[in-house]
Structure formats: C-alpha cells, structure tokens
Amino acid sequence: MPDNDIEVQTLKALVHTGHDHVFIVDADDGHVLDVSPGSAAVYGMSRESLCATTVHELEARGVLSPSVSMEVIRTGQPAQVMQRTGTGRQVIAEAHPVYAAGKLVRVISRSMDMTDLRLLQDEYALLQRRFNEHLKRGGSPASGDTLELESLEVRCQVMHEVAQLIKRVAPTDATVLMLGESGVGKTAFARQLHRWSQRCDDAFVDVNCAAIPESLFESEMFGYQPGAFSGAARMGKAGLLEQAHKGTLFLDEIGELPLAMQSKLLKVIQDGYLTRLGDTRSRRVDFRLVVATNQDLARCVEEGRFRLDLYYRLNVIPVTLPPLRERREDIPGLAERQLARLNERYGMEKVLHPRVWPELMGGDWQGNVRELENWLERAWLSAEGGVIGAPMEENDVTPTRVSKTASGESPLATLEEGRSLRETLEAVEAEILGELAVRVSSTYAMAERLGISQPSVVRKLRRHGLKIASRD
Ligand SMILES: Nc1ncnc2c1ncn2[C@@H]1O[C@H](COP(=O)(O)OP(=O)(O)OP(=O)(O)O)[C@@H](O)[C@H]1O
C-alpha cells in the first residue's frame, strides 16, 4: 500500500475509534468532512447528516453553539469554547488549525462532554474534601503543636486551620492552589509554606503572571540562549522556572496566564524538562509549584480562558483564605503588628487612640490585610503627635465606611432608580479609575494610591476598558 494510503487509513482509524467527538472541517467553506461515531449522540444527528452540512449551518440551527471551528477559521489560531448542543448537553470543544503551504486548509475539533465530567468533578471535590479533613485531623504538626508562624498573625479558628493545613502539606511536593480575594495573604502564606518545606534553603521565586507583558512571557519564564532574539542578553538568561530549580515557584494571578503559556507550563509540569528560547537541548527542572488566584478558575475553564487539564494539575490542594471582614478577630493582632513595624521603620513610638478601634473593627476592608496596613500607615503619617487618630479625610483613599460623598450629598443619591448596588459600585469604581488613569504614570502608582495590588489594578482597568495615559 502506498505511504499516503497508509496515512489516510491511520487517520481514519484514529477518528473512527476514538472516544471523544472529533470533527474534521474544510477551512474554505466550513464543510464537515468527517466526524467520529460518538458525535452523533452528543449533537443529535447521524454521522451522515453531520457530514452533509457546514459548521455555519450547524450553528445557525442550534445543533451546536458557538462553533469552535468557525472561531479557528476566523482567527487562524487554536481555540477552546464551552458549547451547548441541540440535545441540551454542555461540552468543552477545542479546535486546531491545519496549514498547508501557509494556507489554512482544515480545522480539527475535539469536544468533551461536560455532563460526565461534572460527575467526575463532584467525585473529585468529595475526595478532596475528605483528604483535607484527613490532613486537618491527622494529629499534631511535625514540629509540635505550635505553628511557629514567624511573621504571620493568625488568631481566628479558620485561619489557624488554614495554617495547619499548609504546615502539613509543606513537606510534600504537592501543588497548592491559594484562593482568596486580593490582599488576604495568599503570597504571605505561600512564603510560609516554602519556609516550612524541605526546599526552604533554596529559592522562592515569586512570579506575578498579570505583571508580565504577553510578548515577554516566554523569554521571562523559559529563558533564552545567546542571540535568541534581537535585544537578548549576550550570555543568554535562565528563565524564572529555571531559577526556581530545587526551590518553590509561586505563580500569582495564575488566571492571567496566556493560553499558549498554559500549554507550555503544563508540559514542563508533566515532563520535568524545559527548553530555553533558541536552544535545542532541554534542561531538567525540579520545583514545587504553588499558585494563587482571586478568580474562579472553574469559570475560566468554562469560558475557554483556562485549560481544563492544567486546572486539574493545579487544583491538587486548594487552600481558601477568607476575606478579613469574615475574620475580624484577626484585626487587632494585624493592626498591632503593623503599628510595631511602623514605629520601628519611622523611629518613633506612636499609639492608637481608642476611638480608632471601632473604625478598624467595623471596616469592610475590601482590600483586606493590604488595605488595613495601608490605612494604618496613612494614619501613622498623618498623626502629628504620638497618638494616632483616623487618617485625614482627603488622604483616605479607600473610605469603606464614609457616610457622605466628597460633594456632601448622601451616597444614596448616586444609587439611580433601577440600578443595583453592584452596578452602582462598578460605575463609581470606573469613574475613580478613569480619573486616576490620567493623573498617575503607572499601574504601580495607581495600586499605591488605591491601596490594592498592581495585578488588581491591571484587571480592573481591563474590565472597564481603561488604560493609563502614559505607559509603565
Ligand atoms: N496573617 C497575616 N499576618 C501578617 N501579615 C499579613 C497576613 N496576611 C497578609 N499579611 C500582609 O498583608 C499584605 C498583603 O498580603 P499578600 O500580598 O500575601 O496578599 P495576596 O492575597 O497575595 O494579594 P494579591 O492577590 O493582591 O497578590 C502583605 O503585606 C502581607 O505581609
């Protein structure tokens, strides 16, 4: 049999025997050229009928929506979408372009039925809960009952349990996923995990995925060889993954990792090897992975912004840090610790006036511990004597409990008829960001001014479609 025929038969066998649902589509006119047998049940049409139509028609008739192949035909890039089928099923569909002589000729799409996956997910969540409970119950921590938290303040029961869980998993190499709002302490606890781990004498490499421009991601993460691109350092450079060798790699804001980087990261996690840009040889890397996000990663997967397989790789030990307003018992300890730090930093002993406490204990602290620390620093700096009151009104950039707006009118006046509280707050946030965007020179300066993290600023600006007038 000629080689070409063998290849055609091999491909046919692959399509016709696989368990997932494969479509081969002509990129010129969207014609369905072939489908795997399992597709019939999911899309509610026989194989013959599917092959007698185009993806445009299938989308128009609601057999599938949206069409992932049409997305690839539009962009020429691989795509992943959450699809609804005419039979009421939810599937994750991913599609890849096939080029010949530089021209897009075919699209291969593959979909996975989430209905079954949901069952697996529930089962997985149950196992995970049991495992976490087992870890929490499993006797005293390795070095006695004391947590030896060093720089961390932990008073409330739930944070105590979080710290214990972290201490128990620290000596293992399990991947930990830190979840929680911005400023709750995800980075601080990731550092503590590293200190408790057997890798504590090696590097803790802290990478903020939201802060690296997409064009620099690959060279920053994977490093490069001399001459890999114009502007590359003469000696080449080890990337962040390599710098974490033997230590801990902390990927903050993992939800912001571009899709192409997600595939590359997954490969490194699976193989334990990476290749620098412009290099031909692969290098072994051995790091413990800790990641953090304040996004709902499962939702990101459903929206096609995060790879499902990577999500499972990362979601091994999820650790949720509750917002500060849900653990107010921690506020006094955190405030005292920050006050001691400020007194030392500025070389003067100041104390908090008793009237400040109700303010501290009652605040919403949307920016969590970071906002509390910033609030205290402003209060410290604006206090003229040795007694600290509240920060001066005009400096109070995150007034979570003001009763009047700057113009003197009641905040209720900004709540327009028919608008929900959430929509109103969003609109106010957009206005504040819009005004600041023309006044500050960078997202870092804006983060400083708002008392939130720079990644949060990047995300909020993106959400409101805003940009800083002069670039970072
Ligand atoms: N339990 C704690 N004890 C002492 N300091 C804390 C504690 N939790 C958080 N902090 C401090 O609060 C600040 C914000 O914490 P951190 O940067 O870890 O938050 P994060 O959740 O990683 O925020 P982001 O999502 O914006 O990166 C840091 O200065 C950190 O040291």
Side-chain angles (χ1 to χ4, degrees), residues 151-154 159 180-189 252-253 294 327 334 337 341 369-370 373 453 455-456:
S151 58
L152 291 180
E153 184 64 36
V154 168
M159 287 305 285
E181 291 179 6
S182 184
V184 282
K186 299 184 294 296
T187 309
F189 278 87
D252 199 1
E253 303 283 339
N294 50 21
R327 48 178 167 112
L334 287 165
R337 191 179 282 256
R341 227 179 352 227
V369 186
R370 183 180 294 111
E373 288 184 345
S453 71
S456 300

Side-chain angles (χ1 to χ4, degrees), residues 83-278:
Q83 223 172 46
R84 281 214 164 273
T85 74
T87 54
R89 300 183 84 94
Q90 250 200 335
V91 302
I92 282 195
E94 57 172 41
H96 299 270
V98 178
Y99 286 93
K103 182 174 178 281
L104 179 64
V105 288
R106 295 276 187 275
V107 179
I108 312 287
S109 80
R110 194 180 294 123
S111 63
M112 217 185 332
D113 195 338
M114 289 295 284
T115 326
D116 302 333
L117 206 65
R118 283 266 149 77
L119 290 173
L120 275 177
Q121 259 175 338
D122 290 349
E123 219 168 284
Y124 176 71
L126 182 73
L127 281 174
Q128 221 167 28
R129 255 199 320 274
R130 287 197 186 142
F131 179 54
N132 278 356
E133 276 160 17
H134 170 77
L135 281 169
K136 277 181 205 159
R137 273 200 312 268
S140 51
S143 54
D145 252 335
T146 51
L147 277 166
E148 293 154 18
L149 275 161
E150 297 170 31
S151 58
L152 291 180
E153 184 64 36
V154 168
R155 290 207 188 168
C156 70
Q157 179 60 21
V158 53
M159 287 305 285
H160 220 263
E161 282 175 9
V162 164
Q164 272 192 331
L165 174 62
I166 288 176
K167 186 157 194 172
R168 276 184 215 295
V169 297
T172 72
D173 257 349
T175 300
V176 174
L177 168 63
M178 301 273 187
L179 299 162
E181 291 179 6
S182 184
V184 282
K186 299 184 294 296
T187 309
F189 278 87
R191 281 187 186 279
Q192 184 61 55
L193 181 144
H194 174 71
R195 281 194 288 268
W196 275 331
S197 79
Q198 280 145 2
R199 296 171 179 264
C200 60
D201 292 331
D202 288 289
F204 175 86
V205 177
D206 180 354
V207 183
N208 187 336
C209 299
I212 304 178
E214 196 161 343
S215 56
L216 296 183
F217 237 107
E218 188 158 6
S219 58
E220 287 292 311
M221 297 281 268
F222 292 83
Y224 53 83
Q225 284 299 86
F229 50 90
S230 63
R234 215 157 43 88
M235 308 291 288
K237 192 178 148 193
L240 295 160
L241 269 58
E242 235 179 296
Q243 290 170 32
H245 185 54
K246 297 198 158 148
T248 303
L249 177 67
F250 176 58
L251 298 180
D252 199 1
E253 303 283 339
I254 187 79
E256 300 292 327
L257 199 65
L259 271 169
M261 276 300 110
Q262 291 176 26
S263 313
K264 295 200 163 156
L265 175 65
L266 182 67
K267 197 159 165 9
V268 177
I269 299 173
Q270 281 167 345
D271 303 349
Y273 284 90
L274 62 75
T275 310
R276 289 184 183 184
L277 263 177

